[in-house]
Amino acid sequence: MTKVIIFSAPSGSGKSTLINYLLQQGVPVHFSISCTSRPPRGQEQHGVEYFFITPDEFRQHIEAGDFLEYEEVYANRYYGTLRQQVDAQLDAGENIICDVDVKGGINIKNNYGDRALSIFIKPPSIEALRKRLEGRGTETAEAIQMRLNKAEYEMSFAPQFDVTIVNDDLEQSKAKILHIVKEFLHA
Ligand code: ADP
Ligand code: 5GP
């Protein structure tokens, strides 16, 4: 049976870095592409990192009941996972990896139960998170502050996940994640 790996974390904790590492290591998982109403950032491309759609298109999908889950993660910034997209990938024999906010992660875990592994990536501290977001350089100061404001609240959801990894030393986190995900896929 194909499986679902869920990664959730406050923005800037290192989720994308760890997911990309798993993909580079040849772990048999495929990235689940979400929809978002935010504009592309940096080199992001439609159909690769996200399906970039307008707020109107997003609302149409909500009304049609197309989303497995969706959240307004930041004000007027919607993110959602299309049910059909996920099920088509699972039915085609692909394990999938979802990068979603904390509430989305809990909803997907509830939907798939033992078929899913939910992983929470925690930054060592809020200060470290600020430095990482500033270092990444992809957001305005205002957007960084918006993400930091939400981080503490998001961290309170960690106990609801199957596994929590504190992403302090990156090499150690990579090794832990690789081990945990491989073990889950082989179980
Ligand atoms: P997310 O996907 O959770 O928003 P990213 O993977 O984009 O976060 O990481 C945010 C920034 O922090 C990136 O610039 C990344 O290179 C850096 N980073 C990730 N993990 C670590 C770590 N353990 N120590 C220091 N910097 C890190
Ligand atoms: P970013 O704008 O940095 O790409 O993503 C912001 C937040 O939205 C991250 O926490 C990311 O995991 C989350 N996110 C991305 N796609 C989805 C989705 O389909 N559903 C939910 N609930 N959150 C998502």
Side-chain angles (χ1 to χ4, degrees):
M1 190 176 47
T2 47
K3 294 185 178 172
V4 180
I5 313 281
I6 302 157
F7 273 74
S8 296
S11 175
S13 304
K15 240 177 327 153
S16 313
T17 305
L18 292 168
I19 290 174
N20 287 336
Y21 172 73
L22 286 178
L23 296 174
Q24 280 158 14
Q25 292 301 301
V27 177
V29 286
H30 294 255
F31 189 64
S32 158
I33 305 168
S34 301
C35 294
T36 183
S37 68
R38 80 153 165 77
R41 168 172 91 196
Q43 302 298 309
E44 288 178 337
Q45 285 173 29
H46 183 77
V48 179
E49 287 83 3
Y50 285 104
F51 297 112
F52 294 98
I53 61 176
T54 63
D56 270 352
E57 287 169 323
F58 206 103
R59 280 187 278 272
Q60 281 163 21
H61 278 304
I62 295 174
E63 274 162 31
D66 293 338
F67 288 116
L68 172 62
E69 63 76 34
Y70 72 90
E71 297 289 334
E72 186 178 4
V73 179
Y74 307 106
N76 220 12
R77 291 280 187 263
Y78 290 91
Y79 297 81
T81 313
L82 291 170
R83 187 185 301 277
Q84 201 196 1
Q85 173 80 15
V86 171
D87 286 338
Q89 284 184 264
L90 290 174
D91 292 348
E94 295 182 354
N95 298 309
I96 60 157
I97 197 155
C98 300
D99 173 340
V100 290
D101 89 309
V102 291
K103 288 188 185 163
I106 292 165
N107 287 336
I108 295 175
K109 170 70 188 180
N110 286 341
N111 190 79
Y112 288 102
D114 290 345
R115 196 175 178 182
L117 177 72
S118 60
I119 304 173
F120 191 93
I121 307 296
K122 228 177 175 170
S125 65
I126 297 285
E127 219 16 65
L129 196 60
R130 177 191 298 280
K131 290 207 179 95
R132 285 182 196 177
L133 284 169
E134 286 171 354
R136 191 168 72 185
T138 49
E139 260 89 16
T140 60
E142 190 193 0
I144 289 179
Q145 195 54 49
M146 190 165 78
R147 283 161 193 252
L148 289 171
N149 290 346
K150 204 168 176 197
E152 206 120 19
Y153 167 72
E154 290 171 320
M155 291 226 254
S156 69
F157 289 88
Q160 296 183 51
F161 282 72
D162 294 327
V163 179
T164 297
I165 301 272
V166 179
N167 180 22
D168 192 353
D169 180 89
L170 184 56
E171 294 312 310
Q172 276 181 20
S173 302
K174 284 178 176 172
K176 273 188 209 160
I177 286 286
L178 189 60
H179 176 77
I180 290 167
V181 169
K182 276 187 172 170
E183 199 154 80
F184 176 70
L185 291 178
H186 292 146

